[in-house]
């Protein structure tokens, strides 16, 4: 059945001049049919420059929304509208306006895991791949408000020494990776290099060897001469890690690091998305122009 679906998807994709983008956390079957897999930064860049007419976004809602903001003339489809990111929904534009009013004179940096209305209220967008470089590029005395992820914000503050006040948002999936989880994984695999995502708590990040975005993890492992790695992020990344590095071993820090939203899209839903042109993601035009300014500054 999967084989038939894969064939049908390929035909429909051609008919509609569509491209399939998938995040590194999507299930194996989705990553296998994607034209491009990547982290949030890579996916944004690809969405901005593709010449396809239709983008089928296999990821979560804010990613498809970002693609639409960057490519307003294209049709952007999210095969399951319930694939959201709980962290992105932890702050609204109204709450951000109140946060800004309570902390005036600060530059607002929003993690890309945020809604279009929050991006529109922010000065600069960032991803986990560029947050440190971006903050370092700002004048040293510039004070920052960071939304919505308090852990990525803390990580950037620790690495740059800048004055950053964070919103108290978090990723429920990465919260499962505690310092104890990382320590015990290291004990089980003493020869392995421990890679963690900076959405994890600072205490856990300190126990790891490298804190990297998913795209940076893939690049790091490819270049590394080490043979064993402990992976402290969502387990979907194992697909690409194993595909790229047949001679290397990967151990999850804990088996339950799964983002349920990233697993909502399957082959059937991708086929239906292309067959019925569903579910189209749209963004209010005024909001999109404002949000795009924050994303363009990042890119
Ligand atoms: P990356 O940009 O590192 O792929 O992370 C996105 C994300 O949602 C992590 O939870
Ligand atoms: Fe959101 Fe966390 Fe899932 Fe990433 S892993 S999409 S931050 S809930």
């Amino acid at each position: 059945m999967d084989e038939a679906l894969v064939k049908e998807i390929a035909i429909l994709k051609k008919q509609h001049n569509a491209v399939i983008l998938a995040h590194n956390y999507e299930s194996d079957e989705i990553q296998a049919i994607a034209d491009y897999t990547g982290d949030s930064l890579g996916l944004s860049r690809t969405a901005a420059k593709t010449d396809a007419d239709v983008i089928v976004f296999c990821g979560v809602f804010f990613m498809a929304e970002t693609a639409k903001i960057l490519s307003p003339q294209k049709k952007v489809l999210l095969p399951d509208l319930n694939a959201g990111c709980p962290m992105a929904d932890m702050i609204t534009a109204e709450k951000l306006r109140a946060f800004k009013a309570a902390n005036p004179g600060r530059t607002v940096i929003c993690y890309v895991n945020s809604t279009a209305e929050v991006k529109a209220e922010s000065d600069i967008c960032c991803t986990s791949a560029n947050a440190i470089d971006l903050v370092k590029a700002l004048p040293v005395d510039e004070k920052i408000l960071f939304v919505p992820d308090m852990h990525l914000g803390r990580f950037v503050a620790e690495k740059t020494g800048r004055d950053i006040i964070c919103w108290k948002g978090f990723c429920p999936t990465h919260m499962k990776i505690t310092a104890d989880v990382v320590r015990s994984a290291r004990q089980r695999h003493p020869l392995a290099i421990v890679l963690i995502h900076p959405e994890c708590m600072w205490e856990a990040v300190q126990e790891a060897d490298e804190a990297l975005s998913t795209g940076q993890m893939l690049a790091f492992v490819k270049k590394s001469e080490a043979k064993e790695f402990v992976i402290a992020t969502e387990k979907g990344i194992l697909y690409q890690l194993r595909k790229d590095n047949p001679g290397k071993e990967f151990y999850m820090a804990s088996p339950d690091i799964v983002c349920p939203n990233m697993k909502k899209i399957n082959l059937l839903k991708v086929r239906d998305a292309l067959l019925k042109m569903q579910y189209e993601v749209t963004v209010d035009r005024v909001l999109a122009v404002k949000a795009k300014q924050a994303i363009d500054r990042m890119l």
Side-chain angles (χ1 to χ4, degrees), residues 23 25 39-40 62-63 111 113 128 174 197 199 213-214:
H23 187 264
Y25 293 160
D39 65 5
S40 307
F62 77 81
M63 295 179 175
Y111 188 25
N113 297 38
S128 55
H174 285 90
H197 197 281
E199 282 178 16
S213 79
T214 60

Side-chain angles (χ1 to χ4, degrees), residues 25 60 62 84-87 113 171-174 199 234 259 261-262:
Y25 293 160
V60 290
F62 77 81
C85 170
M87 181 210 282
N113 297 38
C171 164
T173 300
H174 285 90
E199 282 178 16
E234 214 275 350
C259 171
N261 285 285
M262 286 283 185

Side-chain angles (χ1 to χ4, degrees), residues 5 14 19 51 79 86 94 151 183 217-218 232 234 262 275:
L5 275 176
K14 242 192 192 148
V19 68
D51 53 14
E94 200 185 335
H151 299 299
R183 270 193 296 268
M217 273 187 204
L218 292 167
E234 214 275 350
M262 286 283 185
L275 196 62

Side-chain angles (χ1 to χ4, degrees), residues 138-275:
L138 297 175
V140 266
D141 55 348
E142 201 155 317
K143 295 183 169 150
I144 294 161
L145 282 188
F146 193 96
V147 300
D149 186 7
M150 65 174 155
H151 299 299
L152 182 63
R154 166 95 187 262
F155 172 71
V156 175
E158 296 284 352
K159 294 288 180 185
T160 61
R162 300 296 176 95
D163 180 340
I164 302 179
I165 300 177
C166 300
W167 186 255
K168 297 264 182 281
F170 59 89
C171 164
T173 300
H174 285 90
M175 284 294 277
K176 291 182 182 164
I177 305 172
T178 60
D180 271 351
V181 163
V182 180
R183 270 193 296 268
S184 76
R186 198 191 276 289
Q187 273 166 13
R188 288 195 306 277
H189 308 288
L191 299 177
I193 295 186
V194 181
L195 305 180
I196 198 165
H197 197 281
E199 282 178 16
C200 296
M201 287 170 271
W202 175 241
E203 291 68 22
V205 169
Q206 284 172 293
E207 295 292 331
D209 297 311
E210 302 284 343
L212 302 166
S213 79
T214 60
Q216 290 170 333
M217 273 187 204
L218 292 167
F220 180 93
V221 170
K222 251 189 188 175
K223 264 179 60 184
S224 171
E225 297 199 340
K227 290 277 174 263
E228 294 179 45
F229 300 85
V230 165
I231 302 301
T233 191
E234 214 275 350
K235 72 193 278 189
I237 196 172
L238 291 176
Y239 173 82
Q240 198 64 36
L241 282 169
R242 290 188 171 135
K243 191 171 162 215
D244 290 350
N245 307 280
K248 298 177 182 173
E249 289 295 332
F250 301 97
Y251 314 106
M252 284 301 291
S254 159
D256 62 344
I257 314 302
V258 179
C259 171
N261 285 285
M262 286 283 185
K263 302 295 185 260
K264 285 188 175 154
I265 295 172
N266 56 30
L267 289 177
L268 201 57
K269 289 181 190 175
V270 172
R271 194 277 312 267
D272 286 348
L274 282 162
L275 196 62

